[in-house]
Amino acid sequence: MTDTVLRDANAPSGNKNLGDLPEWDLSDLYAGEDAPELQRDLDWLQTACAEFAADYEGKLDTLDAAGLLDCLHRDEAISRTAGRIMSFAGLRYYQLTTDGGRAKFLSDCQEKVTNYTTPLVFFSLELNRLDEGALKAMYAENADLARYAPVIRRIRAMKPHQLSDELEKFLHDLGVVGDAWERLFDETIAGLTFTVDGEEMGIEGTLNLLTEQDRDQREAAARELARVFGENIRTFSRVHNTAAKEKEVIDRWRNMPTPQTGRHLSNDVEAEVVEALRDAVVAAYPKLSHRYYELKRKWLGLDRMQVWDRNAPLPMEETRIVGWDDARATVMNAYAAFDPRMADLAQPFFEKGWIDAGVKQGKAPGAFAHPTVTDVHPYVMLNYLGKPRDVMTLAHELGHGVHQVLAAEQGELLSSTPLTLAETASVFGEMLTFRRMLDGAKDKAERKVLLAGKVEDMINTVVRQIAFYDFECKLHDARREGELTPDDINALWMSVQATSLGPAFDFMDGYETFWAYIPHFVHSPFYVYAYAFGDGLVNALYAVYEENPEGFQEKYFEMLKAGGSKHHKDLLAPFGLDASDPAFWDKGLGIISDMIDELEAMED
């Protein structure tokens, strides 16, 4: 999955008065579990993997340019078929994670695909042993092969961390065990029930109450979340301990210098660039989150902010529910105003069953856009409750979808964008939607509400995610020293909360367990900094667009079409931007600070 918004799981209901919410039609992948095409593809995959190994294992260094190109094409076809199978099984599971049949089907597919593809482990290992000079000579000889140079470069970046062929196969087979711990986390989260004011609901609906106007209701929801998390904290602690230990063992065998190194390599980003981002954000806490929450404390008329006030609506904000049709029109108009091609690319998502929007019992948490494979199309999942923030989530996930459709032209191996760049189109889509809404504000009060909402979203995307990143860094470092008790993990969580949120806050008993529900820590360690990276990058990009709109759209579309075929330096160069320059991050953070300046000026 490409993206998950940090509001997790499901409520029993909540689709009333929102209009006709779309559901997925997964038949573009397969008609069902027993579809003959699915069995055909599984059989083909088993044979194709065995034949690939027979044809190439031990022989990669004997191939000429044409032979290596053919080898890559065959690998791409295998990836496409395996991806189609796993996309179908995964998406069906996410629609109803509490269904035993769907969980079994996903697990069975994972095991089959893992078993079939184990013979392919040699491929990346042998690719890493090829002589660099010989590779460059083949690129010079064959332009079609040279197109794959970026993906080969990324594979070869793992060369210093490569184990023996036998150990690599062992780790490949062992992957299904890690997957089972992730599923335990998902099923535990999806199965939690909370009772607030006599109404039983899932976690999505309960977290949604933290954005209600009624403060007593927000407090009740926060305390109920803390109670349920506390009752399940041993399970969450066990999952985190096991996942972190598994990672530590693999990292140690691979001689990874830090727990974060593997994520940086997969993101194709240098550690110093991430640290420059992290340091810039932490240094900016006082002028961003601390300053904004002090303003919000005054608006709310409070002596002290409590954690259930963090995402509270402003007193002057009307409680309004945005119907699905209005949300669609808002986002589509913003996309079309930027470039009609963007709206054209987004249109089929609404009309062809590519979005699953409703909140349903047992449905997976949050929101994401999953690219599936390059010869099908992406699918977007939402838990749409009609809040203005849900409109921004729609804009965000559609941005991913548009990006994935455009990048699909690169083919299976080159379409996948590193996480740091994968957030570009999504956050840009949000910014387009926000700017259009801001331009349409009727008066100063509405402008203030919109600006404050955007600042809060950016703080959640930048400040909060870097605090999450720091928490993960501390968690993985501590786990290397031994087993962590729930209290140990709680203490690590609290060590980053006050620093990032600022002096306006008090923290209730029980808030120390709120690390438990965030899926990224389990599914994708250190994923979270990609959100801050994407937000900072888009702020800088949008500043370029405002300063010099002429020709921007063409350059923007070319960037999205590139998928994973270019490094971030090459992608940003046409815009005159460079993420390795520390001043780059200050430029992005300055946009948030400027918005807070405007909000402060409104107080005068």
Side-chain angles (χ1 to χ4, degrees):
M1 303 296 151
T2 293
D3 184 34
T4 311
V5 170
L6 291 174
R7 265 180 30 208
D8 287 286
N10 49 281
S13 63
N15 300 326
K16 296 170 284 193
N17 308 319
L18 295 176
D20 189 13
L21 295 175
E23 294 188 355
W24 281 335
D25 174 4
L26 298 178
S27 62
D28 287 344
L29 293 164
Y30 297 103
E33 282 185 21
D34 54 358
E37 293 82 3
L38 176 59
Q39 189 57 53
R40 175 203 67 198
D41 284 354
L42 281 165
D43 294 343
W44 179 89
L45 185 67
Q46 185 175 22
T47 303
C49 290
E51 289 177 348
F52 186 93
D55 290 347
Y56 293 115
E57 189 164 13
K59 305 168 193 167
L60 229 56
D61 60 355
T62 68
L63 299 178
D64 60 10
L68 184 56
L69 179 63
D70 185 53
C71 173
L72 287 166
H73 285 158
R74 286 175 63 177
D75 180 63
E76 205 157 31
I78 287 168
S79 295
R80 197 160 49 242
T81 300
R84 181 187 280 258
I85 293 164
M86 290 313 304
S87 291
F88 177 70
L91 292 174
R92 282 189 79 257
Y93 170 72
Y94 286 121
Q95 282 183 301
L96 191 59
T97 61
T98 50
D99 181 76
R102 294 187 187 213
K104 172 180 163 48
F105 179 69
L106 173 61
S107 181
D108 289 348
C109 285
Q110 280 175 323
E111 289 189 18
K112 285 175 184 173
V113 169
T114 298
N115 290 339
Y116 297 166
T117 55
T118 295
L120 307 186
V121 170
F122 80 90
F123 179 55
S124 60
L125 306 181
E126 288 192 30
L127 202 58
N128 285 349
R129 295 189 195 114
L130 295 181
D131 178 73
E132 186 68 24
L135 264 178
K136 285 181 177 174
M138 284 195 274
Y139 296 156
E141 174 192 335
N142 189 314
D144 289 335
L145 178 64
R147 208 174 72 77
Y148 288 92
V151 77
I152 293 173
R153 175 181 61 77
R154 284 202 293 273
I155 291 170
R156 285 167 69 84
M158 277 295 290
K159 186 175 181 176
H161 310 290
Q162 187 170 293
L163 302 175
S164 70
D165 293 15
E166 192 173 32
L167 268 176
E168 291 289 354
K169 286 180 180 176
F170 171 73
L171 288 177
H172 180 85
D173 282 351
L174 201 63
V176 294
V177 179
D179 293 339
W181 282 95
E182 290 178 21
R183 280 210 314 283
L184 172 63
F185 172 84
D186 290 340
E187 288 163 14
T188 303
I189 282 286
L192 296 179
T193 56
F194 305 81
T195 305
V196 182
D197 295 337
E199 184 181 351
E200 189 176 281
M201 60 187 77
I203 192 171
E204 185 77 47
T206 312
L207 287 164
N208 187 56
L209 294 177
L210 298 178
T211 64
E212 288 293 329
Q213 194 72 259
D214 184 332
R215 192 172 191 234
D216 289 341
Q217 197 170 32
R218 295 199 306 270
E219 179 179 356
R223 295 197 183 282
E224 178 67 356
L225 287 163
R227 182 188 70 79
V228 176
F229 292 158
E231 287 178 354
N232 292 273
I233 205 67
R234 291 191 179 280
T235 300
F236 290 122
S237 177
R238 171 61 45 225
V239 170
H240 281 68
N241 266 287
T242 305
K245 183 60 182 177
E246 179 190 42
K247 179 170 169 45
E248 185 272 325
V249 170
I250 294 170
D251 283 353
R252 178 160 34 89
W253 277 80
R254 291 197 182 283
N255 286 317
M256 294 283 187
T258 72
Q260 302 90 328
T261 301
R263 176 62 63 200
H264 299 339
L265 286 169
S266 69
N267 281 347
D268 198 20
V269 66
E270 301 75 18
E272 54 271 22
V273 171
V274 178
E275 288 311 303
L277 162 66
R278 182 259 171 207
D279 292 347
V281 173
V282 171
Y285 283 172
K287 71 174 183 180
L288 299 181
S289 48
H290 297 188
R291 190 160 61 115
Y292 174 73
Y293 288 128
E294 180 57 27
L295 263 181
K296 186 166 186 175
R297 182 190 67 76
K298 291 176 187 170
W299 293 336
L300 294 174
L302 300 172
D303 291 329
R304 302 287 298 156
M305 291 266 281
Q306 303 293 334
V307 289
W308 55 80
D309 299 317
R310 186 173 62 81
N311 285 323
L314 303 186
M316 71 290 286
E317 190 173 336
E318 292 177 24
T319 300
R320 64 188 184 100
I321 297 298
V322 184
W324 178 251
D325 290 344
D326 287 344
R328 170 179 173 171
T330 299
V331 175
M332 289 294 281
N333 288 339
Y335 276 27
F338 172 70
D339 192 302
R341 288 173 294 177
M342 244 177 71
D344 291 343
L345 288 161
Q347 192 76 20
F349 283 84
F350 294 97
E351 296 178 348
K352 296 189 174 181
W354 299 2
I355 299 177
D356 196 301
V359 174
K360 295 178 273 257
Q361 186 69 42
K363 184 178 169 179
F368 60 72
H370 177 52
T372 72
V373 287
T374 53
D375 58 353
V376 186
H377 55 77
Y379 283 92
V380 163
M381 197 194 81
L382 307 169
N383 276 280
Y384 189 82
L385 288 160
K387 292 288 177 85
R389 276 199 174 97
D390 292 336
V391 180
M392 301 308 284
T393 301
L394 171 61
H396 182 102
E397 301 305 341
L398 267 185
H400 278 304
V402 166
H403 193 175
Q404 291 159 1
V405 169
L406 288 169
E409 298 171 13
Q410 294 290 341
E412 210 62 43
L413 293 180
L414 284 163
S415 62
S416 181
T417 310
L419 291 179
T420 41
L421 296 166
E423 293 301 325
T424 307
S426 53
V427 179
F428 198 83
E430 278 190 77
M431 183 63 88
L432 291 173
T433 305
F434 163 71
R435 291 289 181 182
R436 185 166 180 86
M437 292 166 74
L438 193 65
D439 289 344
K442 297 188 298 287
D443 51 34
K444 183 178 171 181
E446 187 176 344
R447 183 177 179 86
K448 182 176 181 177
V449 167
L450 286 167
L451 268 175
K454 185 59 176 171
V455 167
E456 287 200 16
D457 286 344
M458 289 166 128
I459 286 172
N460 284 337
T461 305
V462 177
V463 169
R464 194 157 164 77
Q465 304 311 314
I466 291 300
F468 286 173
Y469 176 66
D470 279 352
F471 165 72
E472 284 191 278
C473 291
K474 291 183 175 191
L475 175 77
H476 285 267
D477 285 346
R479 185 64 184 91
R480 288 182 170 205
E481 302 303 314
E483 176 89 5
L484 301 174
T485 67
D487 286 346
D488 292 335
I489 304 176
N490 292 348
L492 295 175
W493 173 255
M494 293 308 295
S495 74
V496 302
Q497 291 301 304
T499 311
S500 61
L501 294 178
F505 278 94
D506 287 335
F507 297 94
M508 69 171 188
D509 288 344
Y511 183 68
E512 66 274 7
T513 63
F514 274 47
W515 53 268
Y517 77 92
I518 295 164
H520 302 67
F521 300 157
V522 176
H523 285 283
S524 312
F526 305 107
Y527 181 115
V528 290
Y529 75 73
Y531 284 110
F533 196 109
D535 200 270
L537 190 156
V538 165
N539 283 345
L541 260 185
Y542 201 86
V544 171
Y545 173 48
E546 287 193 311
E547 290 161 14
N548 188 14
E550 188 64 35
F552 181 90
Q553 283 87 339
E554 285 306 320
K555 287 189 281 189
Y556 180 74
F557 274 94
E558 286 306 309
M559 178 174 69
L560 300 190
K561 286 176 185 175
S565 68
K566 290 183 180 178
H567 188 260
H568 64 79
K569 266 187 178 294
D570 300 320
L571 280 177
L572 293 175
F575 302 96
L577 298 170
D578 180 1
S580 63
D581 177 0
F584 172 84
W585 300 114
D586 291 331
K587 185 183 180 95
L589 296 172
I591 287 189
I592 310 175
S593 186
D594 290 347
M595 289 184 182
I596 300 173
D597 287 346
E598 184 177 343
L599 286 168
E600 283 182 336
M602 288 179 174
E603 297 299 287
D604 298 339

